[in-house]
Structures are given as structure tokens and as C-alpha cells.
Amino acid sequence: MVLWQSEQECMAKKGLRSWVKENWVDIANKRSDGSYPKCGRSGGEKRKNYPKCVPIAKASAMSKGQRAGAVARKQAKSNTGPKPTRAATFAPKRKKMGLGGLV
């Protein structure tokens, strides 16, 4: 499993156990009161969208557009296998074109 740089830094500071124990929420299924349900589903629970889980601290720090983009990337992945498919929370940064670009 490949971890993004920020997650690696987080685990290096806090450790894997505390990273896993963070309060993970599903940003794809926002409740009517504005809160997010806990990540994961119990029993035969049905939700509108496939879950996109992030820690609550990251979810609150993200803008509305960033959350929508993360959910869209998750929905675009095909979740056909027995394991969930990982989708990037943030879009990869675009490279700037240097001075030697095409004219």
C-alpha cells in the first residue's frame, strides 16, 4: 500500500496506532444537520454514495470543492473487487510549464 507524504509524516509523528484510532468519517454522505456519519457500514445499512473516508480533522480543513472532488474521484473508481479501491483525497498538483515550453 502506498501512502501519501502527509500520511507518512502523520504516522511518523504520532505512530500507526494513533493514526488508525483517529475519528474517521464518511464525507460522501453528509447528514441533514451538517455532520458526517462514522466511516464504515454496519449490517445491511444502505447509503446514497460509496463511502469516502477521511479523518474528521482533515474533513473540516477541506473546502467544499475539495470534499466534492475527493468524493467524485472515489465514485469514478470501479469498486468491483472484494477490497475497496483507494482514491486520492487531493488531486495531484499540475506541473508548471517552464520557460523552454512550446511556442
Side-chain angles (χ1 to χ4, degrees):
M1 185 168 127
V2 177
L3 296 175
W4 299 105
Q5 190 66 25
S6 61
E7 291 174 349
Q8 287 177 342
E9 290 172 359
C10 179
M11 283 191 288
K13 290 177 186 173
K14 299 179 185 177
L16 180 60
R17 288 182 195 270
S18 62
W19 180 76
V20 171
K21 289 182 182 180
E22 287 181 11
N23 184 15
W24 289 78
V25 294
D26 176 13
I27 61 172
N29 296 291
K30 194 170 187 177
R31 292 182 182 145
S32 59
D33 65 352
S35 65
Y36 298 104
K38 286 205 171 280
C39 189
R41 294 182 265 190
S42 59
E45 180 184 349
K46 298 285 183 187
R47 291 191 185 169
K48 182 181 175 185
N49 295 323
Y50 194 82
K52 172 63 180 160
C53 299
V54 295
I56 189 71
K58 184 181 280 189
S60 61
M62 294 168 71
S63 69
K64 187 176 180 179
Q66 287 175 326
R67 285 192 299 270
V71 171
R73 278 186 290 282
K74 182 68 172 192
Q75 303 304 327
K77 295 275 186 175
S78 61
N79 293 301
T80 56
K83 292 184 179 180
T85 305
R86 189 189 186 288
T89 302
F90 296 103
K93 293 186 179 184
R94 296 181 187 179
K95 293 183 179 180
K96 292 184 180 180
M97 191 171 203
L99 296 175
L102 297 173
V103 178

